[in-house]
Amino acid sequence: MTFRNKIIAAIAAVTLAISATSCSGKPEVLESVPSTATTVVSVDLERFLTEAGCTVNDEGIILSDDLREALDSAENSSTKAQIDALLHIKGLDLKTATYFEQKDLEGGLIVIVADDEDKVVESLSDKALNLEKGEDDGFVTFTNIPERTATIAIDDNRCWLAGLAPDAAISIIKKARRAAKKESIATVGWKADALSKDAALNAIVDVGDKFYDIFGDEAYRTAFACITSGEGESVLDIKAHIVNADGDKLDILPSLGTIDPDFLRFFSSRHNTVIAFAIADDFNWDNMLKSEGKSMASADKIFLSTMEEHLRNIDGTVAVGLNIDLDNLSPEKLDFCVAAKMKQGGADGVINKIREMAADVKQTLTERDGFLFLPMEERTLRIGKADNYLVLTTDAGVSAEPCTINADTFKGKSAVIAASGIHVNPTLDFVISATTDEASLDLSIDKTRQGALAKLIKIIIKESKNQSDALQSLLKRGDDDFSEDNYDNLIEF
C-alpha cells in the first residue's frame, strides 16, 4: 500500500469512527462504561472537525479543501465512494464520542448515543456504504465486507463500534454492558468529573504498572493520567496530571528536580529543538536501569552496565539540542549537542572511559581545546567538559548566535521538549513541559494557535505526500539499483 493509500485508509477509518461514534458525554453515556475501564476518552468531535477546517451541519460533514483533495486523489474509487456516503450519515450527535478499554476485553469499544436510531439504521443501510446488515441478540449490526474487520451495533439508542467481526463484537459489547450495569464509571466521582469537563477532549489512562516499573514507588501502582485538551484557544492545547485510585494528585514526575537553564550557553541558534530534564538527588536509578534493561538486547545491556557508574554521576540538568530540518531529515546527518551537569569529577570519568575504549580498539583520538575528537561516518563528535558539564557536540564550534529558545521556557520545570521555528512552510513551534503538578502541550503554527489544527493536518498531508513521492521515485529505479541489501532496507523503511 502506498503512502497516499495509507492516508486515504486513515481518513476512511476516522470518518467511520466519526460517523458511527458520535455520542453524548453526559452522565448517561458514562453509565455505559464499566468502572474498571483502564482507558476512557471522551471527545467533542464537532469542535475537532470545525478546527480542522471542516463544516458540520444537519446534512452531515463537509471536509476541508485539504482533506477533500486527499480524498479525491485516492486511487481506489470504492474507498472514495464509501467515505462520501459515510460523511452524510444522519441521526448522530457529533458533540462527543466515548472510547474505552478494559484489561479483560479484547480491544477497545466506542459507545455512542443516537439522536434518532431509525435514521442511523437507515443511513447505514445505504448500498453505497457496502456494509452488511444483520441482527444479533437484539442488535442491528453493520460490518464492512468482504473484510468483516469492523462492526457497528445499534440497540437501545446506543451505537457501538468495535474492530471485530459481528459475533466477537457483540460478545464483548454484552460483557461491557453487564460490567457497567454492575458498576459504571459514572458512579466513581473523580473519574466522572474528569471525563465531564467542558473541553474538546477528556481522558483517563491507567499508567500504574508503567510508573511503578520506572520509579518503584508503591503510591503509583494505581496511578491514572488525567488528560484534557482544548480548554484554551486550540484543541491542541493539552494538559495532564497524575492521580491515585482515589483521585488524589501525585507528583507527575517523581525523582525529577528543577531544570537549570544555564545549559543554554552551550547551544546555538542552530538548535531549534531542545529536550531538557533534571535529575533529583534521590532519583531511583536502580528501578530506571532495571526497567530499561528489560527490553534491551544482550549487547545493549552490557553497554548499559559499563555506563551505569557514569549515569549515576549525573547531578542536575541533562539537555539535548537538535537541528531539525524536515526537508533533510537523516539520523546520520543530524546535528546535536548534549550537555549534562555532573558530580565533581564525573565528566572526567566519562572522558577517560572513552579514551580507554578507543585504546582497546587501537584508535588514536585527536585532542584539542579540551575536547576529544571522535570520527563518525558523516561528521566528527567532540567530547569535552566545561565547569562540571559533560558536553558532546557535532558542532565545529559554538555559534555567536544564541539559542532562540529562551531560558524562561525551562524555568521552574522538571522536563521540557521545546521547538522554535521548525520550517515546514509554515513554521512550527511547540513546548511540551512538566512541573511537579502538571504536564502541558502548547503548539502554534506561524506564531498563532488559531487554526493550528487545520494547518497541522495540511502539514501532515504534505509531508506524507513527499514521502510517497520519494518512495515512488525509488521504486522507479532500474533493477541494478536493487541489491539484496537495498531490498532489505526498503522493507525496513
Side-chain angles (χ1 to χ4, degrees):
M1 181 184 286
T2 67
F3 278 98
R4 179 174 297 170
N5 283 343
K6 287 181 179 179
I7 294 171
I8 300 305
I11 294 173
V14 171
T15 307
L16 179 61
I18 290 170
S19 301
T21 64
S22 303
C23 61
S24 169
K26 298 176 181 179
E28 61 265 24
V29 176
L30 297 182
E31 289 170 5
S32 298
V33 180
S35 63
T36 52
T38 54
T39 296
V40 186
V41 183
S42 178
V43 186
D44 182 346
L45 285 171
E46 184 169 326
R47 181 174 171 188
F48 271 91
L49 286 165
T50 301
E51 289 200 26
C54 303
T55 300
V56 180
N57 55 37
D58 293 338
E59 297 304 312
I61 303 162
I62 301 174
L63 292 179
S64 66
D65 290 342
D66 294 316
L67 290 177
R68 171 55 62 183
E69 182 181 350
L71 174 60
D72 290 342
S73 66
E75 298 171 7
N76 188 323
S77 58
S78 174
T79 300
K80 289 200 299 183
Q82 289 179 20
I83 296 175
D84 274 328
L86 285 168
L87 291 172
H88 295 91
I89 288 182
K90 299 178 178 65
L92 297 171
D93 175 9
L94 288 176
K95 287 293 183 183
T96 313
T98 300
Y99 168 85
F100 67 93
E101 295 177 1
Q102 285 189 272
K103 287 183 179 178
D104 58 343
L105 292 181
E106 180 186 353
L109 290 171
I110 302 173
V111 59
I112 61 144
V113 169
D115 289 333
D116 188 329
E117 186 175 316
D118 291 337
K119 193 173 287 187
V120 173
V121 172
E122 180 183 353
S123 298
L124 291 171
S125 299
D126 191 323
K127 291 182 179 180
L129 289 172
N130 197 31
L131 299 175
E132 180 181 79
K133 182 179 178 182
E135 293 188 11
D136 190 330
D137 200 12
F139 290 88
V140 179
T141 63
F142 294 87
T143 188
N144 60 325
I145 52 175
E147 297 88 353
R148 296 176 65 81
T149 54
T151 297
I152 303 166
I154 303 105
D155 178 44
D156 193 25
N157 291 321
R158 291 290 190 272
C159 189
W160 302 79
L161 178 68
L164 298 165
D167 289 347
I170 296 301
S171 176
I172 68 166
I173 291 169
K174 288 166 66 176
K175 287 179 182 178
R177 290 205 308 185
R178 286 195 297 269
K181 188 174 183 179
K182 184 178 180 181
E183 184 179 44
S184 76
I185 207 164
T187 65
V188 184
W190 73 264
K191 292 183 179 180
D193 291 343
L195 292 166
S196 301
K197 288 183 178 180
D198 184 15
L201 178 149
N202 296 305
I204 60 172
V205 182
D206 184 347
V207 294
D209 291 343
K210 186 63 177 176
F211 268 61
Y212 175 75
D213 202 23
I214 294 173
F215 299 111
D217 188 335
E218 284 291 339
Y220 289 86
R221 274 196 184 275
T222 59
F224 274 80
C226 297
I227 304 163
T228 301
S229 165
E231 284 188 313
E233 299 175 25
S234 167
V235 297
L236 297 175
D237 292 340
I238 301 172
K239 295 181 179 179
H241 62 272
I242 305 295
V243 300
N244 62 18
D246 297 320
D248 300 322
K249 270 194 173 183
L250 298 169
D251 287 352
I252 196 165
L253 290 170
S255 297
L256 289 192
T258 303
I259 295 171
D260 180 357
D262 178 55
F263 70 83
L264 285 169
R265 60 186 162 121
F266 302 109
F267 293 177
S268 72
S269 57
R270 288 179 53 75
H271 301 119
N272 58 12
T273 303
V274 176
I275 304 166
F277 57 93
I279 299 294
D281 292 337
D282 62 350
F283 186 82
N284 194 330
W285 282 108
D286 291 334
N287 262 82
M288 195 283 288
L289 293 169
K290 180 181 177 181
S291 174
E292 289 299 312
K294 287 181 179 179
S295 58
M296 282 186 173
S298 297
D300 294 331
K301 287 181 181 179
I302 294 172
F303 177 75
L304 183 64
S305 67
T306 63
M307 298 304 295
E308 180 176 338
E309 173 189 351
H310 306 293
L311 290 173
R312 292 177 183 272
N313 276 329
I314 295 174
D315 186 31
T317 301
V318 178
V320 181
L322 303 170
N323 176 237
I324 302 293
D325 178 2
L326 292 180
D327 292 328
N328 298 286
L329 196 58
S330 169
E332 293 78 16
K333 298 180 180 179
L334 184 66
D335 286 331
F336 64 87
C337 179
V338 179
K341 187 70 176 292
M342 308 293 287
K343 295 176 182 177
Q344 189 68 37
D348 290 313
V350 175
I351 293 169
N352 289 334
K353 182 66 177 179
I354 292 171
R355 287 194 184 102
E356 291 176 10
M357 294 170 69
D360 287 342
V361 294
K362 304 293 190 292
Q363 183 178 8
T364 302
L365 300 180
T366 302
E367 296 192 38
R368 187 170 65 250
D369 300 327
F371 279 84
L372 293 178
F373 287 71
L374 183 63
M376 302 172 69
E377 286 187 11
E378 298 287 342
R379 58 213 185 286
T380 299
L381 179 63
R382 300 166 66 243
I383 306 167
K385 68 171 185 173
D387 301 329
N388 283 329
Y389 283 95
L390 175 68
V391 181
L392 300 87
T393 179
T394 57
D395 286 349
V398 177
S399 168
E401 295 290 333
C403 183
T404 57
I405 303 173
N406 62 50
D408 290 340
T409 303
F410 304 95
K411 287 180 179 177
K413 306 295 195 304
S414 297
V416 171
I417 304 174
S420 176
I422 295 182
H423 182 71
V424 287
N425 190 28
T427 58
L428 173 68
D429 298 80
F430 68 82
V431 176
I432 302 172
S433 62
T435 62
T436 299
D437 294 329
E438 185 177 75
S440 64
L441 164 66
D442 297 313
L443 183 147
S444 63
I445 298 177
D446 274 351
K447 305 301 179 182
T448 180
R449 295 180 183 179
Q450 292 186 345
L453 179 59
K455 292 177 181 177
L456 183 61
I457 290 172
K458 187 173 182 178
I459 289 169
I460 292 171
I461 291 174
K462 175 188 172 185
E463 293 301 318
S464 298
K465 184 178 185 303
N466 288 342
Q467 291 184 43
S468 175
D469 292 344
L471 183 58
Q472 290 292 335
S473 175
L474 181 63
L475 291 172
K476 289 177 182 178
R477 290 180 182 176
D479 293 339
D480 292 342
D481 291 333
F482 283 88
S483 65
E484 184 176 347
D485 287 343
N486 285 336
Y487 179 77
D488 291 341
N489 290 337
L490 178 59
I491 296 298
E492 188 173 314
F493 171 75

